[in-house]
């Protein structure tokens, strides 16, 4: 079991890890419609943003350039910790329209605490040669970012690869040739249903570095316990927004459930501040309330794992039970457990 607790020393103070960065949609829309959570859900005092989207939203970027802070745009306290990725996920279908220096300048103007390097995601539809070109380009971008980084904010190198050897070799190469505070694994979302592959890739990264390890895009209910077990320090998720859009109700310990499948219940299976005060009919009609509940569900999943770990209970026994209801995730966890035991 590689679960670990650490602290990140950031411009706005220390951040306890492991931690989830809820993804904000600011910049993707004319205004940010992510519901309030900072100051409401104690463990969520941070956010993941897309630096490219904000820079490309002209009115918003003009306001920021004229002195309005990003946090004022987001309507959150000024001490909210921000992880600004490069917007690399957009480059899966679009041409790269930035440079490492321009992205760092954007992240600096946004006053980000953590800066992700420019990266180009892989795709299963690409030929191997094209994916290799993307891997090499992401490495080159990371090294250029290392050269340009002024040391303000932590710099995480974005790393891609569909096999453990590539992940390990890329991290070791970056460690030798650049200066990074941590690493962030990308291209995980397109293969998220291949749990075995994902666990092998993460274990390879974890074994290649003792520095901070972030995984892009896999912080939903099912993946959270696996990531924690594998020693991932942080992750991000937009699952709470997407699930609410699909009228899915997240249930800690289980996963997502369509509201229509539970509409006969008198009481919802979650006692969070949203579900404790509203009836199902109200939540069904209120997308903001459903989104807030889904965030509470992610917080609850994280709290349960921490409780098991810090109370001295057997985490593997907990995960045996946690994944017993789904054969796919159960097999992935069993694979991770076997790999882990070979390490010790």
């Amino acid at each position: 079991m590689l679960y670990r607790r650490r602290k990140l020393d950031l411009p706005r103070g220390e951040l306890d890890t492991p931690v989830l960065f809820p993804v904000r949609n600011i910049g993707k829309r004319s205004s940010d419609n992510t519901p309030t959570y900072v100051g409401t859900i104690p463990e969520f005092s941070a956010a993941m943003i897309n630096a490219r989207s904000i820079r490309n939203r002209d009115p918003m970027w003009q306001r920021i350039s004229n002195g309005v802070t990003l946090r004022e745009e987001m309507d959150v306290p000024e001490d909210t910790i921000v992880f600004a990725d490069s917007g690399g996920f957009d480059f899966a279908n679009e041409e790269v329209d930035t440079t490492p220096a321009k992205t760092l300048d954007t992240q600096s103007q946004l006053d980000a605490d953590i800066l992700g390097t420019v990266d180009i995601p892989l795709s299963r539809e690409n030929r191997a040669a094209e994916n290799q070109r993307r891997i090499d380009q992401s490495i080159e971008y990371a090294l250029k970012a290392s050269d340009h980084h002024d040391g303000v904010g932590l710099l995480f190198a974005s790393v891609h690869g569909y096999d453990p050897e590539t992940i390990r070799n890329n991290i070791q190469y970056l460690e030798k040739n650049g200066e990074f505070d941590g690493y962030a694994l990308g291209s995980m979302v397109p293969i998220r249903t291949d749990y075995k592959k994902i666990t092998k890739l993460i274990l390879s990264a974890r074994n290649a570095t003792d520095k901070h390890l972030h995984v892009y895009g896999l912080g939903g209910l099912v993946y959270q316990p696996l990531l924690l077990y594998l020693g991932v320090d942080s992750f991000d998720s937009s699952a709470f927004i997407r699930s609410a859009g699909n009228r899915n109700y997240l249930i800690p310990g289980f996963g997502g459930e369509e509201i229509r499948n539970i509409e006969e219940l008198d009481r919802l299976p979650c006692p969070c501040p949203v579900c404790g005060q509203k009836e199902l009919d109200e939540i069904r009609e209120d997308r903001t309330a459903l989104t807030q509940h889904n965030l509470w569900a992610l917080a609850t999943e994280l709290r349960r794992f921490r409780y098991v770990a810090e109370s001295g209970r057997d985490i593997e026994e907990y995960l045996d039970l946690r994944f017993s209801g789904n054969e796919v995730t159960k097999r992935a966890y069993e694979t991770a457990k076997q790999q882990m035991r070979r390490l010790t």
Side-chain angles (χ1 to χ4, degrees):
M1 202 273 289
L2 299 175
Y3 170 74
R4 63 186 199 174
R5 294 184 62 187
R6 292 192 169 185
K7 289 183 185 293
L8 285 178
D9 188 12
L10 299 169
R12 283 174 177 73
E14 292 184 334
L15 178 67
D16 292 323
T17 66
V19 63
L20 168 70
F21 290 87
V23 174
R24 306 284 300 227
N25 55 20
I26 184 169
K28 286 288 186 181
R29 301 166 55 92
S30 58
S31 61
D32 182 11
N33 69 348
T34 307
T36 300
Y37 64 85
V38 177
T40 302
I41 304 179
E43 52 269 79
F44 293 162
S45 60
M48 168 72 78
I49 61 160
N50 180 326
R52 175 176 180 265
S53 294
I54 295 172
R55 181 144 194 163
N56 288 347
R57 179 70 66 177
D58 285 338
M60 183 178 293
W61 186 246
Q62 287 176 12
R63 289 195 296 274
I64 290 173
S65 298
N66 289 329
V68 174
T69 70
L70 169 68
R71 290 157 182 85
E72 287 173 333
E73 286 285 330
M74 294 165 64
D75 193 23
V76 297
E78 282 299 316
D79 61 357
T80 300
I81 291 168
V82 169
F83 184 159
D85 72 14
S86 68
F89 192 73
D90 297 338
F91 301 141
N93 300 308
E94 300 177 30
E95 292 297 317
V96 178
D97 58 1
T98 187
T99 65
K102 181 179 177 181
T103 293
L104 284 174
D105 178 68
T106 301
Q107 293 163 327
S108 176
Q109 290 196 58
L110 294 173
D111 213 5
D113 302 272
I114 302 172
L115 297 66
T117 61
V118 179
D119 57 319
I120 315 176
L122 312 183
S123 168
R124 281 181 159 174
E125 284 69 44
N126 290 339
R127 293 178 180 274
E130 170 60 16
N131 275 338
Q132 187 59 51
R133 184 191 71 77
R134 288 168 175 251
I135 291 169
D136 294 342
Q137 188 70 71
S138 298
I139 295 296
E140 183 181 332
Y141 285 151
L143 292 175
K144 286 183 177 177
S146 172
D147 291 340
H148 285 94
H149 185 221
D150 61 7
V152 177
L154 302 188
L155 183 65
F156 288 179
S158 302
V159 177
H160 298 271
Y162 276 168
D163 63 79
E165 292 74 19
T166 298
I167 295 289
R168 182 187 63 240
N169 292 341
N170 284 341
I171 290 177
Q172 291 175 343
Y173 181 79
L174 289 168
E175 188 71 8
K176 184 178 179 182
N177 294 284
E179 293 186 11
F180 303 99
D181 301 290
Y183 297 90
L185 287 185
S187 299
M188 299 287 111
V189 173
I191 57 171
R192 61 183 178 276
T193 57
D194 192 340
Y195 291 92
K196 283 188 177 182
K197 173 171 279 190
I198 293 269
T199 56
K200 288 179 179 178
L201 296 177
I202 292 173
L203 266 177
S204 177
R206 183 69 289 163
N207 290 330
T209 180
D210 190 51
K211 289 184 177 177
H212 188 97
L213 180 63
H214 181 90
V215 172
Y216 286 126
L218 289 186
L221 280 184
V222 175
Y223 261 110
Q224 264 198 40
L226 269 179
L227 299 184
L228 295 167
Y229 179 68
L230 296 170
V232 174
D233 299 296
S234 64
F235 31 87
D236 59 88
S237 177
S238 61
F240 61 102
I241 299 175
R242 290 184 286 102
S243 294
N246 295 325
R247 294 294 184 267
N248 272 335
Y249 180 90
L250 300 185
I251 306 174
F254 292 88
E257 185 65 74
E258 292 184 36
I259 282 185
R260 64 183 179 183
N261 294 334
I262 55 175
E263 59 189 4
E264 299 301 323
L265 292 176
D266 293 329
R267 296 289 178 188
L268 289 163
C270 171
C272 78
V274 178
C275 300
Q277 298 173 5
K278 294 179 180 288
E279 296 182 353
L280 178 57
D281 284 345
E282 294 178 85
I283 293 176
R284 181 194 290 114
E285 301 302 323
D286 185 348
R287 182 170 167 174
T288 296
L290 180 55
T291 306
Q292 288 176 318
H293 153 74
N294 285 344
L295 264 173
W296 272 107
L298 294 175
T300 302
E301 189 81 46
L302 187 55
R303 288 184 186 188
R304 282 184 180 176
F305 192 101
R306 283 176 172 163
Y307 163 70
V308 172
E310 289 160 30
S311 65
R313 295 172 186 272
D314 189 322
I315 287 181
E316 292 188 347
E317 281 187 8
Y318 167 67
L319 294 179
D320 287 340
L321 177 63
R322 173 66 180 81
F323 292 116
S324 62
N326 182 307
E327 281 302 316
V328 176
T329 53
K330 180 181 176 182
R331 285 197 297 272
Y333 163 60
E334 291 294 337
T335 299
K337 188 162 59 174
Q338 291 167 10
Q339 291 178 309
M340 202 86 72
R341 288 177 175 172
R342 283 198 289 270
L343 296 175
T344 58

